[in-house]
Every structure is written in structure tokens, then in C-alpha cells.
Amino acid sequence: MAEAERIIGTPDIPEAEGHEGAEPEKPAGDESPQAVEPDGLDTGDGEAAVDRSPATRRRRIILLFCVAVLAYLLDLGSKMLVVAKLEHQEPIEVFGDWLKLDAIRNAGAAFGFGEAFTIIFTIIAATVIVVIARLARKLYSLPWAIALGLLLGGALGNLTDRIFRAPGVFEGAVVDFIAPAHFAVFNLADSAIVCGGILIVLLSFKGLDPDGTVHKD
């Protein structure tokens, strides 16, 4: 018997299922869920979850203040140049009669409205700055950071004029110099405020809050 087994040979025995070292076969269609990054987390309704990490808020706040500083410095620099070179001089034509640079002092609000309420507009500008500072504590939206930065920079630009320019503290006249045809004269701070306000209106229509939450009707 042993001689017969030696001649015929021992048949190969297949490895038992689940043998040590063998990878178990996965049933078809049974796949482990993949890890999802926080920024792309699916909430189940087709929208990405908002990343409300402290790092994200810090980045948005930094962006807000960078936009505000840029808008403020551009406004301040342009006003200093206008006062030094253009005030009490003939207007400079940029595009014929369509656009001129004409330095004036404006005691009212943006675009020359409400000159009898200088102190009130000063208080409003200071209030806007405080409100923006409070909103920054829950700021996670990139577009809102840009919009609030434009508002903050513009408000600070005109508030600087009202504090430090004649005729007195909190009653100073704002320097305006951009004079389009058939329109009020304004400055870069006014432009930043208007652009920021328009962007906020658009974001509100889209249902986007400063904290990144999107509301859909």
C-alpha cells in the first residue's frame, strides 16, 4: 500500500477557506465606506457641510481685515494725494466731460447727501464698525469676509476724515474727488461701502449667512 502511494503520488490538497495568511474573499457589492474629508462631508441633502473649525474662522477673519486694510490704505492714500495736488486747482479731465477728478469737501454722507447731519453719520459709521467686529466672531463664509472687509475699510476711511479733518472732531468734512457726469462726487471709501453692500444683498438673496449656513426656500 505504501509502495502504491509512493508510485501514484499524493494529490494536492486545496487550502482550507480562512487559512492563516489567506485574504478572505469579499462578497460582491460589500465595500467599506471611505473616509470623507470635513470640507466635503455629505449631509444627505446634496449640500456640503460647513467647516467650522477654529482654523477656518481665523482664515476668514484674516481675509476680512486684509481686505479692510487694503481698502482703507487706498482710500487714505488717494485722499492725501488729492489734498496735496488737486485741492483748490482746476478739475482734471479723465474721460472728457464724462469723468473728472475734482476735489471737494463733503460734510454729509456718501455721495454728498445729508450735509446737515455730519455727527449722525459719524455715529452710524462707528456703529457699523462695531457690528462688523461682532459678526467676525462667527464668520466662516469667504464671500461674507470680503463683503464685510469692504464695508469696514470704507467706513474707517470716511470716519478718519470725520475725526481728523476740519472743521472739528466728529464734524470733519470728507474728501471727495471722483466726479462722473450727472452724478454726485464720491471717493474710494464710498465705492468700497457700495460694493460691500451690493455683495451682502446678493449673498442674502442666495440665502448664505456669515457662518456659512445656506437657507433654501
Side-chain angles (χ1 to χ4, degrees):
M1 187 68 177
E3 184 66 18
E5 289 180 354
R6 185 183 65 81
I7 297 173
I8 298 174
T10 305
D12 294 333
I13 302 175
E15 291 183 358
E17 195 172 358
H19 186 271
E20 183 178 358
E23 184 177 354
E25 186 177 350
K26 295 181 181 179
D30 184 14
E31 298 182 356
S32 301
Q34 300 295 321
V36 181
E37 295 295 331
D39 288 341
L41 183 62
D42 189 0
T43 59
D45 56 1
E47 297 181 2
V50 179
D51 181 6
R52 292 193 174 91
S53 64
T56 298
R57 186 179 66 176
R58 283 195 297 270
R59 288 195 297 269
R60 299 298 181 257
I61 293 176
I62 290 172
L63 176 61
L64 186 157
F65 284 107
C66 285
V67 172
V69 169
L70 178 61
Y72 177 76
L73 292 179
L74 288 174
D75 177 69
L76 181 62
S78 64
K79 288 174 179 175
M80 293 175 64
L81 184 62
V82 165
V83 170
K85 301 294 184 180
L86 187 58
E87 200 167 34
H88 309 303
Q89 303 294 327
E90 289 296 320
I92 298 176
E93 293 185 355
V94 180
F95 294 109
D97 292 333
W98 290 99
L99 179 63
K100 297 180 180 180
L101 299 181
D102 186 12
I104 66 168
R105 297 294 181 108
N106 170 26
F111 308 109
F113 299 120
E115 294 187 3
F117 303 98
T118 305
I119 187 65
I120 295 177
F121 294 128
T122 304
I123 295 173
I124 292 174
T127 303
V128 168
I129 293 171
V130 173
V131 171
I132 292 174
R134 291 177 62 88
L135 282 175
R137 296 184 302 175
K138 58 175 184 177
L139 182 63
Y140 296 95
S141 168
L142 178 65
W144 270 95
I146 296 173
L148 293 178
L150 290 171
L151 280 181
L152 180 59
L156 285 173
N158 284 340
L159 184 61
T160 299
D161 281 2
R162 299 192 187 282
I163 294 175
F164 296 106
R165 297 193 187 277
V169 178
F170 298 115
E171 296 180 352
V174 175
V175 176
D176 289 335
F177 58 93
I178 303 174
H182 313 298
F183 196 72
V185 184
F186 59 97
N187 56 42
L188 295 184
D190 297 333
S191 301
I193 291 172
V194 170
C195 291
I198 292 174
L199 182 54
I200 286 176
V201 170
L202 294 176
L203 294 174
S204 299
F205 272 119
K206 292 182 64 176
L208 179 62
D209 290 342
D211 65 355
T213 304
V214 179
H215 299 284
K216 289 190 175 181
D217 296 333

